[in-house]
Amino acid sequence: MLNAPVLSANASLSAGASLGVPASDPAPLETSERGWTWWLGAAFSLAVLVAVLVQLRSVDFSEVRDLLPTAPLFWLVFAVSYLSAPFADWLIFRRLWAMPISGLGALLRKLIGNELLFGYAGELYLYTWARRRTAMTSAPFGAIKDVAILSALAANAVTIGMLAIAYPLLGALHLGLDSKTLLLSTALVLASSSAILLFRKTLFSLPRRDLWFVTGIHLARIFIGGALTAFCWHLVLPEVSIQWWLLLSALRMLLSRLPLLPNKDIVFAGLAVFLIGHDADIGALMTMMASVILATHLGLGVALVAADAANWRRR
């Protein structure tokens, strides 16, 4: 009699597998207040602190201060642009996990970890954060995996579309881009996207409606983020029409996604000077924006590590 429930459960699992239902995440491990997920989260915070200290050595604060805009509208648009990625993630996980608004802190840590440490370090942190909140989600791995894969797939789709439109322009400018490099880069992007689509039934665990929702949010994030970046540039150099900044923002994203393209910064600088002119101003603008973004990563990183340290002391 004691084996009946076990047999029944196994039969149900076998039936689900035979119907092609994607396997769910394994049942969550029971964790103590300071289990492995807590220690991994603490290690992540310390790694961010070390990355902040290392990056601070490369920042010339006097140079950055001289380049900073004073218009409040610039800082408002920049803040919205910076927060657009974690807010898009929050919309996704709000649907998947009913994530509260306080989860934005974890998503900011995810963004900063990916930028200051290495790719997907933020996803690892988000997994440990979610595993400690089983009331919100008991098995977060599948959702985080699907969201990350769909983010790459959406970016690849936008890259291929923009490359098809911009290929004549890139070929005509003679910026050191040979057709072989462009074709090989495009082939790699297409191959990775095709592999994802070919094995989608094995890779993805979310329902189809959720997959479409996540893809739509990622596409909206890409286009809105590019438009906000262009608007920031326009606010710094308002004599250049916003249409040119939008085009340049799209080309910048395109260049950043092509895997085999050498000297991407040089190519982008050549494009900017050709399309807009103001070569000295363009160089100063890009330096300023890169410094402001880095300084924002560093400042938020320090604030979030300090918040983590305060929580550790209370426990």
Side-chain angles (χ1 to χ4, degrees):
M1 295 295 293
L2 292 176
N3 291 332
V6 176
L7 292 173
S8 176
N10 288 338
S12 298
L13 289 173
S14 300
S18 65
L19 290 173
V21 178
S24 61
D25 287 342
L29 300 174
E30 292 187 9
T31 56
S32 62
E33 186 177 357
R34 294 204 175 186
W36 68 270
T37 55
W38 187 92
W39 288 107
L40 193 56
F44 176 88
S45 296
L46 293 176
V48 168
L49 180 60
V50 171
V52 167
L53 295 176
V54 171
Q55 294 284 348
L56 280 174
R57 299 168 57 187
S58 64
V59 178
D60 186 345
F61 288 100
S62 61
E63 180 181 356
V64 173
R65 185 179 60 251
D66 294 338
L67 294 171
L68 291 179
T70 58
L73 182 58
F74 169 85
W75 294 107
L76 176 62
V77 175
F78 173 78
V80 175
S81 174
Y82 185 87
L83 294 173
S84 61
F87 182 73
D89 284 342
W90 180 80
L91 290 176
I92 290 170
F93 290 110
R94 176 71 178 175
R95 176 186 175 103
L96 301 180
W97 296 344
M99 176 184 277
I101 193 65
S102 59
L104 275 173
L107 297 173
L108 279 171
R109 288 174 173 86
K110 169 180 171 290
L111 171 67
I112 293 170
N114 286 338
E115 294 294 329
L116 294 185
L117 298 176
F118 54 87
Y120 298 109
E123 276 73 13
L124 178 59
Y125 170 79
L126 182 62
Y127 176 74
T128 64
W129 179 86
R131 281 295 296 264
R132 296 196 301 271
R133 289 158 178 81
T134 54
M136 184 179 68
T137 174
S138 61
F141 176 78
I144 295 174
K145 166 183 62 66
D146 288 3
V147 170
I149 292 174
L150 288 173
S151 176
L153 188 61
N156 285 352
V158 173
T159 299
I160 293 169
M162 288 195 304
L163 184 60
I165 297 172
Y167 183 80
L169 174 64
L170 294 175
L173 294 183
H174 305 292
L175 296 171
L177 297 175
D178 60 275
S179 58
K180 183 179 179 180
T181 301
L182 284 175
L183 289 175
L184 286 175
S185 296
T186 305
L188 283 176
V189 173
L190 280 171
S192 62
S193 301
S194 299
I196 292 172
L197 294 175
L198 182 63
F199 297 103
R200 62 188 181 278
K201 293 184 179 179
T202 304
L203 287 173
F204 295 123
S205 56
L206 292 173
R208 180 176 296 182
R209 290 182 63 183
D210 287 340
L211 294 176
W212 280 112
F213 174 82
V214 172
T215 303
I217 292 293
H218 281 315
L219 289 172
R221 170 183 56 80
I222 291 170
F223 289 114
I224 292 173
L228 289 172
T229 298
F231 193 31
C232 282
W233 295 344
H234 176 65
L235 290 172
V236 177
L237 291 177
E239 61 270 21
V240 178
S241 173
I242 185 66
Q243 289 88 345
W244 289 111
W245 290 123
L246 288 169
L247 175 61
L248 196 60
S249 177
L251 291 172
R252 185 188 191 193
M253 198 201 82
L254 168 61
L255 295 175
S256 70
R257 295 290 304 177
L258 293 177
L260 300 180
L261 186 65
N263 303 319
K264 296 181 182 182
D265 292 337
I266 296 176
V267 174
F268 176 71
L271 276 172
V273 172
F274 177 84
L275 293 174
I276 297 177
H278 303 274
D279 48 342
D281 292 336
I282 290 292
L285 170 63
M286 297 306 159
T287 300
M288 183 273 294
M289 289 298 299
S291 300
V292 168
I293 292 171
L294 177 59
T296 305
H297 289 330
L298 299 182
L300 282 176
V302 169
L304 293 171
V305 170
D308 290 338
N311 289 331
W312 297 342
R313 284 197 298 268
R314 283 198 295 268
R315 293 180 182 180

